[in-house]
Amino acid sequence: MIKTRNRGFTLVEILVVIAILAVLAGATAFMAPKILRKGRQAGAIENMKEMTTLMVSHANDNGNRLPAPMTPASENENGGRDAYWYAVLQHEVSGEQLDDYLTDRWWKENKSIFINPLHPKKDLKAKSVGYAMNAALGTNIALTRGEELGIEESKTTGINLNTVREPERSPVVIPHWDWFYTMDSGESGSKKFDPYIINDRIPVLFLDGHIETITLKEYKKRELDKMPKPSN
């Protein structure tokens, strides 16, 4: 009978395996953050879809009007604090006192669809949850009616959906570091958008409820910052 003996791995074979494992580990380490960020963006988009339902519900109960980007403390019984649009909607869905949602502590200690998964945790507070409402909408709508409404006034004005032309082209919410946005030239080029951009794109929620992922340049090129526009 011919005897055979088990042959162990050679040094070269061991080195090849180690090299392959090192390459795989490097690829995993490189791809993992990107995969996690894409997952967070998907979560951010899902949140925006749920916001649509809450906005529609609010409008149905308030003469077809959306909450203002910010309701001043003088118009609320809220202990002298301004109420941002997402706090108003969170209050309506949860049924707790509005005051509860006007503190940094509540947003740091609780979960909410209004907290953007891409928003840096260190920046999370009552006036910065990672989503912003379009404060230029009120100004642009006034222009379609031959009227004037400055941005500061628009920040505290709830949009009447009956007055909006082309809601499918009128953006209302985007991922952002503040509670409102206008997408003027200085803002659209800000590095502060970096945490919310995946593959050069951000999700945009439009007044008709659909969501598109577009670049900031495309936002400006399509003149979404000027929508709705006066008819010619």
Side-chain angles (χ1 to χ4, degrees):
M1 179 182 294
I2 300 175
K3 293 183 178 180
T4 61
R5 63 177 183 176
N6 294 328
R7 184 178 69 85
F9 292 110
T10 67
L11 178 60
V12 172
E13 289 171 331
I14 293 173
L15 291 175
V16 168
V17 171
I18 292 174
I20 292 172
L21 291 175
V23 170
L24 292 175
T28 301
F30 176 76
M31 293 300 298
K34 292 187 176 182
I35 294 172
L36 288 174
R37 280 180 56 78
K38 285 187 177 180
R40 292 192 185 105
Q41 187 188 52
I45 293 173
E46 285 302 312
N47 286 354
M48 294 168 79
K49 291 178 180 178
E50 292 190 50
M51 287 178 205
T52 303
T53 302
L54 298 180
M55 288 182 176
V56 169
S57 177
H58 177 94
N60 289 339
D61 294 336
N62 291 272
N64 214 28
R65 189 178 292 273
L66 295 180
M70 186 269 286
T71 303
S74 59
E75 298 180 18
N76 285 309
E77 297 178 2
N78 56 20
R81 296 189 183 97
D82 297 330
Y84 304 108
W85 60 277
Y86 44 80
V88 172
L89 293 174
Q90 183 68 53
H91 158 66
E92 291 176 355
V93 72
S94 300
E96 299 177 19
Q97 293 293 322
L98 180 59
D99 284 4
D100 295 339
Y101 310 109
L102 307 182
T103 65
D104 293 346
R105 180 176 179 178
W106 191 92
W107 295 98
K108 290 179 181 295
E109 295 181 353
N110 293 275
K111 294 181 179 180
S112 169
I113 65 166
F114 298 104
I115 297 176
N116 190 332
L118 291 168
H119 190 56
K121 289 186 177 180
K122 65 182 179 60
D123 297 330
L124 181 61
K125 51 189 173 184
K127 65 184 302 182
S128 177
V129 297
Y131 294 107
M133 182 175 278
N134 186 0
L137 271 177
T139 298
N140 296 339
I141 290 171
L143 290 174
T144 68
R145 303 167 64 180
E147 302 171 358
E148 290 187 9
L149 184 70
I151 289 295
E152 291 304 314
E153 292 177 275
S154 183
K155 289 179 186 178
T156 58
T157 301
I159 299 303
N160 186 332
L161 296 177
N162 293 328
T163 65
V164 180
R165 296 171 179 166
E166 299 183 285
E168 73 281 1
R169 295 185 60 203
S170 301
V172 61
V173 172
I174 64 170
H176 198 276
W177 59 90
D178 211 337
W179 53 271
F180 78 96
Y181 80 97
T182 61
M183 203 62 81
D184 59 25
S185 57
E187 183 178 8
S188 63
S190 175
K191 288 290 186 181
K192 290 183 178 180
F193 269 114
D194 288 355
Y196 315 105
I197 295 176
I198 305 293
N199 295 332
D200 296 326
R201 296 171 178 270
I202 61 167
V204 179
L205 173 62
F206 291 79
L207 280 176
D208 70 338
H210 86 279
I211 297 172
E212 296 180 31
T213 54
I214 62 177
T215 66
L216 297 177
K217 288 184 178 180
E218 186 179 355
Y219 191 107
K220 297 293 286 186
K221 184 177 181 179
R222 289 166 58 180
E223 297 189 323
L224 297 180
D225 55 316
K226 299 178 182 177
M227 294 299 299
K229 298 175 70 173
S231 58
N232 294 327

